[in-house]
Amino acid sequence: MTRLVAGNWKMNGSLAANRDLLDGLMAVPGVEMAVCVPYPYLAQLLERPAGVALGAQDVSEFEAGAYTGEVSAGMLAEFGCRYVIVGHSERRALFGEDDAVVGRKARAALAHGLVPIVCVGETLAERDEGRVMAVIGRQLAAVLDALGVAAMAQVVVAYEPVWAIGTGRSASVEQVGEVHAAIRSWLAGQGVAAAAVRLLYGGSMKADNAAALFAVPDVDGGLVGGASLVAADFMVISRAAGGGV
């Protein structure tokens, strides 16, 4: 399947900095690239390099109405978004989003033709307790309950161990391979067309470790944080996803 490299800018950017960043991006043959940007910059990103898809970092579970500060999937679709991140660990930890909310957000995204990038992952304590797949299985089960088996095959799953996000510490290739294989097995066990689901790795993916991570079976791309803010680094990662082309 075509690998996906999605940049998560988080709460970073400015009109000038964004322009400079975009000037340094270009499509990589055989790789799908995307940038998930703060809402105010969606309009600016209407003009972006060919071959780079647009995404958002969150979406409301609600269709419309009296939900001050929320942004609906329909609004994102109007701006040409293809992807939207749901359930990022920062949303879960800092803003209290539980598994059921993440499932409803994924459902809202799909209803408007957006592809939800569903983030899952364990804390260091949960890993040390041997509960990695218990946690990830619970997170995925809520999305499956909201979507159903057929629609679940349309999502992208991003494995982001919480202990490796923004810490500079990446999971080892052995750890990544083990979890990605377990996620695909879990999906297949629920009757989902698991081979069709792209599994991304996130969690301090950088220019110097991307090639090794992409060499791991079942790694179908990356969800890139800090390195997506540096055009040269994002391009190195994207080229690594394409086998170095």
Side-chain angles (χ1 to χ4, degrees):
M1 67 177 70
T2 302
R3 281 185 169 145
L4 168 64
V5 178
N8 176 14
W9 291 7
K10 306 193 179 185
M11 198 176 72
N12 294 293
S14 68
L15 292 174
N18 299 347
R19 184 69 269 154
D20 289 342
L21 175 56
L22 292 173
D23 286 344
L25 301 184
M26 64 188 71
V28 173
V31 177
E32 188 172 359
M33 298 166 62
V35 287
C36 298
V37 308
Y39 296 138
Y41 299 134
L42 291 174
Q44 183 186 23
L45 269 289
L46 291 174
E47 297 183 15
R48 60 188 182 277
V52 178
L54 182 58
Q57 298 170 18
D58 191 23
V59 65
S60 177
E61 64 183 281
F62 303 109
E63 182 72 15
Y67 303 105
T68 300
E70 291 286 271
V71 174
S72 73
M75 295 172 183
L76 297 180
E78 281 196 321
F79 275 88
C81 285
R82 171 164 171 73
Y83 294 100
V84 61
I85 300 170
V86 297
H88 192 281
S89 65
E90 291 161 358
R91 299 297 311 175
R92 296 176 189 263
L94 300 177
F95 302 99
E97 295 185 7
D98 62 22
D99 297 333
V101 168
V102 175
R104 292 194 294 270
K105 288 186 172 191
R107 183 173 61 199
L110 283 175
H112 285 272
L114 304 175
V115 178
I117 299 175
V118 178
C119 296
V120 298
E122 80 285 0
T123 65
L124 186 57
E126 290 164 340
R127 170 166 282 276
D128 289 343
E129 293 165 2
R131 299 176 54 229
V132 175
M133 279 312 298
V135 171
I136 293 174
R138 185 202 74 222
Q139 293 168 336
L140 290 173
V143 179
L144 180 61
D145 287 346
L147 300 185
V149 170
M152 190 71 178
Q154 300 175 44
V155 310
V156 172
V157 175
Y159 170 53
E160 293 201 310
V162 177
W163 47 271
I165 299 174
T167 63
R169 175 183 176 184
S170 179
S172 70
V173 293
E174 293 80 12
Q175 290 170 324
V176 173
E178 177 182 297
V179 176
H180 277 232
I183 290 173
R184 205 174 301 277
S185 177
W186 186 95
L187 291 168
Q190 309 304 310
V192 177
V197 179
R198 283 190 285 192
L199 305 182
L200 312 185
Y201 175 71
S204 295
M205 178 177 274
K206 303 183 291 292
D208 61 2
N209 66 9
L213 290 166
F214 288 136
V216 177
D218 289 310
V219 174
D220 306 315
L223 182 57
V224 183
S228 70
L229 298 171
V230 180
D233 289 350
F234 194 61
M235 289 306 304
V236 168
I237 293 169
S238 299
R239 292 190 183 101
V245 295

